[in-house]
Each structure stands twice: as C-alpha cells, then as structure tokens.
Amino acid sequence: MKKLSAILSCFIFIIPSIIVHGQQSYDLISLESKNFFGNFSIVPGSAKKITDRAGYDNQPCFINNLQVAFSSIDEKGNSDIILYSFDKENFTNMTRTSDKSEFSPRLTDCGQYISAVTVEEDSIQRLWLYPINFGEPELLYDDIEPVGYYAWHNNIAAMYLLGEPNELVYPYSRDNVITLAENVGRSIQKRPKTSQITYIDQGASVVLNGKSTYEIKFYDLDEKNTGNYGVALSESDDFVWIDKNTMLMAQGQELYIKKVNKNLDWEKIASVSMPGYGNISRLAVSPKGDKIVLVMERKIDTVATNAD
C-alpha cells in the first residue's frame, strides 16, 4: 500500500456495469435547492441540463460549491474525469488519457486531490489520486484491487472490492485491512460529521409497501460497531447525505428525503419531469445544500425542462 505524504499531512461492479451502461446515454441535470435549519426543498422550475449529448455523462460528485466532477465516456469508449463550473458554465478535463479510463471521482479529505477508480492498461482497477493543480497522478493503494466504489474517512478510503461476494474494506494500516461488510450496493457514502460509512446491504431483502428492497446500514470506523437507518426505496440503488441527519434518494423521477434523527420514513419532496428522459439513477448534493445534480437516462433529444 503506497502512502502519499501529502495525503497523510493534510470520498459498480464498476467495469461490467460501465460497459453495459456505456451503450446508453445519460445526462447531468441540475436543480436549485434550499436547506434552511434542516428544512430541505427543491426550487420549482429550476431543472437545467448540464450535459446534452448522446453519450455517457455520469457519476457526479461536488468538488466544491461551484464545481462538480463527473465521468464522461467519449466516442472511442474511453472515460475521463471532467469538471463543470457553475459560475463559468464551462467544462475542463481533469484527465485526458488514451490508455486508461477513470471513473467515480471524489474529493479527498485533504482537498488537494480528486481521486478516481482507474482502469489501467492491463485492466486492473485501483484507486489513483489526481492533483487539483493538474500535477502527475499517483497510485494510492498498490495492493488493493479491484476497486469499484469508495468513500473517504480520515484520509483513508473505504473501498468496495469486486468479487463473489463483493466486500467493503477499510485499511486502518497496510497490515490491518478489515472487511466492513459483504454484498453491498454501489452507493458507499460517508455520513457527514461522523465516522460512519453507510451503504445498502444487498445480502438480504425486506418488503416495503409490497415491494422488495434492502436496509441502509452503517459501520462506525471509530467505534467499530454497526447499525442501520431503515430501508432504502425499492428499485433504487443510490442515496446521498444532504447533512448529518438528512438522506436524499430518488425513485423513478421523484425525490425523497429521510430524517434519521426524527424517524426512518421517506418523505416525497419533488418530482422532476424531463421530456425524453427516464428515471433518476444517481445524485449529488453541493456542500451548502443549494444545488443538486441528477443523472437521468436520455431517450430522445429535448430542451424542455420542468421541476415541481
């Protein structure tokens, strides 16, 4: 395991999934939101396209309140990490590699790097760090692979490793890599202001409103204990934390929140109607909670938008 001094001093079945999904088109859609004293809402009519092409633009993650990073596959099938700036409304390549593909961007805890799962020349999937000053990328863990998804805590990545079953692992040190869970979903999220890594447990299903779904669980990396936050919405794979006590999840074209400090029920807060687009598959929330970026499957060209 390679430890970088800058990191120590100072957050899909990935490739099988990407290959399949690469034949489909996905766009990024932004929404304006409000979060006053724990009351989170969507601004009506604020839906706006960020990307608009017949291709794969997916896996968004906010780097700061004005920039979102995402994975973008070009016409040759190669994936790079792209940065979109809300203030300038422009795009910048974080990576531009012909012999590698990068997926699942996240900002590291120290804020000096954008991390990404990188598919190397020999198809090995490992976690790499890309300096925000566009310096040379560096391999973080040389002996932990194949990585699919991950989240950051204490400058260390909790990583979803592909396998049968898949494993969620956390390397406290080079010689102490522990398994947090098995059979987890693709959404690995750090609960803000805690030491909890949260995930959807796909090892055993439960029934919600007559439909099969799974529990959302956590592993506390400091306390080294586990717990759960009730059930996920059925037919949904991704969730994010808006703040320490509020989760956001999509079902179809509807958005729901869950207040884990009050109850474990989901509350519908908005519907996002985009003519020519299918369901919401992924989402990201800005640090201030005033922006959301959604991923929606593109079916036909359209410019009409509406959110209510």
Side-chain angles (χ1 to χ4, degrees):
M1 183 188 308
K2 186 177 181 181
K3 296 182 178 179
L4 301 178
S5 58
I7 283 290
L8 295 179
S9 62
C10 6
F11 125 136
I12 311 187
F13 324 116
I14 181 168
I15 292 312
S17 180
I18 288 299
I19 289 173
V20 173
H21 290 166
Q23 306 306 311
Q24 299 169 289
S25 294
Y26 295 88
D27 277 325
L28 305 184
I29 311 297
S30 68
L31 299 174
E32 295 178 20
S33 52
K34 297 179 180 179
N35 192 18
F36 294 120
F37 301 103
N39 295 315
F40 188 79
S41 62
I42 305 299
V43 177
S46 63
K48 178 182 177 181
K49 290 184 184 181
I50 294 177
T51 62
D52 187 4
R53 71 184 184 100
Y56 182 95
D57 296 316
N58 212 318
Q59 299 179 326
C61 179
F62 277 88
I63 301 306
N64 52 54
N65 217 65
L66 291 176
Q67 289 182 306
V68 64
F70 63 96
S71 305
S72 182
I73 297 179
D74 62 23
E75 63 277 1
K76 296 180 180 179
N78 185 71
S79 179
D80 285 307
I81 302 302
I82 309 294
L83 293 179
Y84 173 75
S85 297
F86 284 88
D87 54 344
K88 299 178 181 178
E89 296 187 344
N90 64 0
F91 299 89
T92 303
N93 274 70
M94 188 70 199
T95 67
R96 195 189 299 271
T97 54
S98 59
D99 56 348
K100 302 182 185 71
S101 283
E102 298 85 21
F103 298 96
S104 299
R106 296 276 181 117
L107 182 68
T108 58
D109 287 340
C110 67
Q112 300 302 306
Y113 302 89
I114 292 178
S115 53
V117 174
T118 299
V119 185
E120 301 166 29
E121 297 92 326
D122 55 3
S123 298
I124 291 178
Q125 295 174 216
R126 295 185 290 189
L127 198 59
W128 284 69
L129 301 178
Y130 297 84
I132 59 174
N133 64 1
F134 296 93
E136 287 297 314
E138 299 186 61
L139 175 63
L140 181 57
Y141 303 111
D142 58 10
D143 57 351
I144 300 181
E145 54 89 15
V147 180
Y149 296 92
Y150 62 97
W152 287 100
H153 172 66
N154 252 357
N155 294 313
I156 298 174
M159 292 166 282
Y160 167 128
L161 302 183
L162 300 169
E164 293 293 339
N166 66 58
E167 292 183 300
L168 180 60
V169 305
Y170 187 79
Y172 284 96
S173 68
R174 183 182 183 91
D175 299 319
N176 185 24
V177 181
I178 70 165
T179 298
L180 309 182
E182 295 181 344
N183 291 312
V184 302
R186 71 187 185 193
S187 190
I188 311 300
Q189 305 291 342
K190 165 76 176 297
R191 183 186 178 194
K193 299 181 180 180
T194 75
S195 54
Q196 295 177 4
I197 298 296
T198 55
Y199 57 91
I200 295 177
D201 179 6
Q202 296 184 340
S205 63
V206 296
V207 176
L208 174 65
N209 297 327
K211 293 184 178 180
S212 179
T213 186
Y214 304 99
E215 287 185 310
I216 299 176
K217 294 186 177 182
F218 70 81
Y219 186 97
D220 192 306
L221 294 167
D222 290 350
E223 300 297 329
K224 298 185 179 180
N225 59 19
T226 61
N228 73 74
Y229 291 115
V231 297
L233 294 171
S234 60
E235 302 175 352
S236 299
D237 296 321
D238 275 52
F239 69 93
V240 292
W241 290 91
I242 297 169
D243 53 43
K244 179 181 179 180
N245 294 312
T246 312
M247 285 183 182
L248 176 69
M249 201 167 191
Q251 186 178 59
Q253 294 187 342
E254 298 177 337
L255 294 174
Y256 293 79
I257 60 171
K258 174 187 292 211
K259 295 281 190 178
V260 300
N261 61 329
K262 295 182 178 180
N263 59 64
L264 297 180
D265 295 329
W266 290 100
E267 173 191 353
K268 179 182 172 181
I269 60 168
S271 295
V272 182
S273 177
M274 297 287 291
Y277 285 84
N279 295 337
I280 300 166
S281 59
R282 285 185 171 92
L283 23 71
V285 180
S286 65
K288 292 182 179 180
D290 59 350
K291 301 180 187 69
I292 299 177
V293 172
L294 310 175
V295 177
M296 300 181 76
E297 183 180 352
R298 181 188 183 104
K299 294 184 177 179
I300 59 173
D301 290 334
T302 180
V303 295
T305 63
N306 178 54
D308 56 57

